[in-house]
Amino acid sequence: MAKVCWPYFDPEYENFSTRINPPRVSVDNISYRDCTLIKVDSVNKPGILLEVVQILSDLDLIITKAYISSDGGWFMDVFHVTDHQGNKITDNKTIDYIEKALGPNGYNMESVKTWPGKKVGVHSVGDHTAIEVIGRDRPGLLSEISAVLANLQFNVATAEVWTHNSRIACVLYLNDNSTNRAVDDPTRLSVMEEQLKNILRGCEDDKEVGRTSFSMGFTHVDRRLHQMFFADRDYEGGGVTTEVDYPPSFKPKITVEHCEEKGYSVISVQCKDRAKLMFDIVCTLTDMQYVVFHATISSDGPYASQEYFIRHMDGCTLDTEGEQERVIKCLEAAIQRRVCEEMVITTPPTTAFPTTLV
């Protein structure tokens, strides 16, 4: 496996560089007639590309083109974006949010980094307790989960549900049905967790059939759903969702090549274009411990073409056939998860999880 080394960057020097060279953000509505140009220049740091793309995705902006360069100590991005109607971004509130979230203080302000209404997965925050559920999908499963929670006097304020390859993953934000406050009673939570596990397992004794856990830490909910599926190894499944949801002309075409001159592996993705496509791909590469050094993103009608120049965090490229195949499978799964089925459920504060949605 080829390995490329780059200069060591002292953390204290990086912090000093950030102070003397704060991020520069430009929102340009003049240069192009049909899109808004967003430019971000910043000192480079691990995960910065995902942070930027996450912010733009939370705003439901469509990235029609992008040029990424983060080799060395500096990070430079250019994004061509529109709204879902293909219009420029002219709302002053949205522009102000972009400038603040991507600007000098944005990366250190968690309250700014999440667009209002977009929740993140944590065990208990404010008036909600978050619980993660992953298991084998089947008809009526959400109705059964609903019945258990209603019987235990839990209210579901919001739920985000994805299905892929006959598996289901969801993050539920719960509170007490009578107080509308987060539930911290360990006995009550333990009873709920055990009953949900029993539903997920059904008649099977295999613990891997379904799992329930409480969300910990501060993770973007879409990224957490990707992580749950990745840990569940859904990319190894041979489900029929690919054939059902993708006509032959729209199936993702992913290739891995080696750029010997620069020491990169080149990931090329061609598939049907959609919102948050770049986020799903960058999120997956980041969680697989790959670093994106350069990228070019473009869309032509219903198709998207994306190219990423990457290395593993240890500096290695993807030289083995097994590793290349795994990356291709994981990216295919990441693209298909959101396309197959995404359900976001918000319920009134005093009502139980609705069974009519199943």
Side-chain angles (χ1 to χ4, degrees), residues 33-156:
R33 178 179 57 83
D34 56 350
C35 69
T36 297
L37 205 64
I38 298 177
K39 299 179 181 179
V40 183
D41 294 340
S42 171
V43 172
N44 196 14
K45 69 170 186 177
I48 187 173
L49 175 59
L50 179 58
E51 291 184 5
V52 172
V53 175
Q54 175 183 302
I55 289 169
L56 299 180
S57 296
D58 282 350
L59 290 166
D60 282 333
L61 302 182
I62 304 298
I63 300 174
T64 58
K65 286 185 175 63
Y67 306 96
I68 312 299
S69 180
S70 60
D71 204 349
W74 200 254
F75 171 82
M76 294 178 288
D77 283 6
V78 178
F79 298 92
H80 297 234
V81 304
T82 68
D83 61 18
H84 278 265
Q85 288 70 47
N87 302 318
K88 291 183 177 183
I89 312 305
T90 56
D91 177 64
N92 290 331
K93 179 181 177 182
T94 303
I95 292 175
D96 182 62
Y97 174 81
I98 292 172
E99 293 174 341
K100 287 182 178 179
L102 299 179
N105 299 319
Y107 297 121
N108 298 317
M109 297 171 59
E110 298 296 347
S111 61
V112 172
K113 284 168 60 176
T114 301
W115 185 245
K118 191 66 175 179
K119 294 182 179 296
V120 293
V122 294
H123 173 258
S124 182
V125 59
D127 294 333
H128 299 95
T129 297
I131 187 167
E132 302 170 356
V133 177
I134 188 163
R136 183 172 297 162
D137 193 20
R138 54 181 168 82
L141 178 60
L142 289 181
S143 292
E144 295 178 29
I145 293 174
S146 159
V148 166
L149 296 174
N151 186 57
L152 295 174
Q153 299 300 305
F154 284 96
N155 172 63
V156 179

Side-chain angles (χ1 to χ4, degrees), residues 304-351:
S305 178
Q306 304 192 4
E307 192 172 60
Y308 298 87
F309 293 75
I310 70 169
R311 297 182 194 137
H312 196 271
M313 287 189 67
D314 61 8
C316 296
T317 53
L318 287 69
D319 295 328
T320 67
E321 185 176 343
E323 186 178 15
Q324 293 177 12
E325 183 179 350
R326 181 169 179 265
V327 169
I328 290 173
K329 286 183 176 180
C330 289
L331 290 178
E332 285 178 345
I335 293 169
Q336 293 163 4
R337 285 169 197 150
R338 198 187 296 271
V339 171
C340 290
E341 184 175 355
E342 176 180 357
M343 185 184 300
V344 180
I345 303 164
T346 303
T347 65
T350 57
T351 60

Side-chain angles (χ1 to χ4, degrees), residues 224-236:
R224 185 62 194 140
L225 287 165
H226 278 302
Q227 290 173 342
M228 290 167 65
F229 271 127
F230 178 72
D232 193 58
R233 304 177 74 90
D234 71 315
Y235 54 88
E236 294 181 346

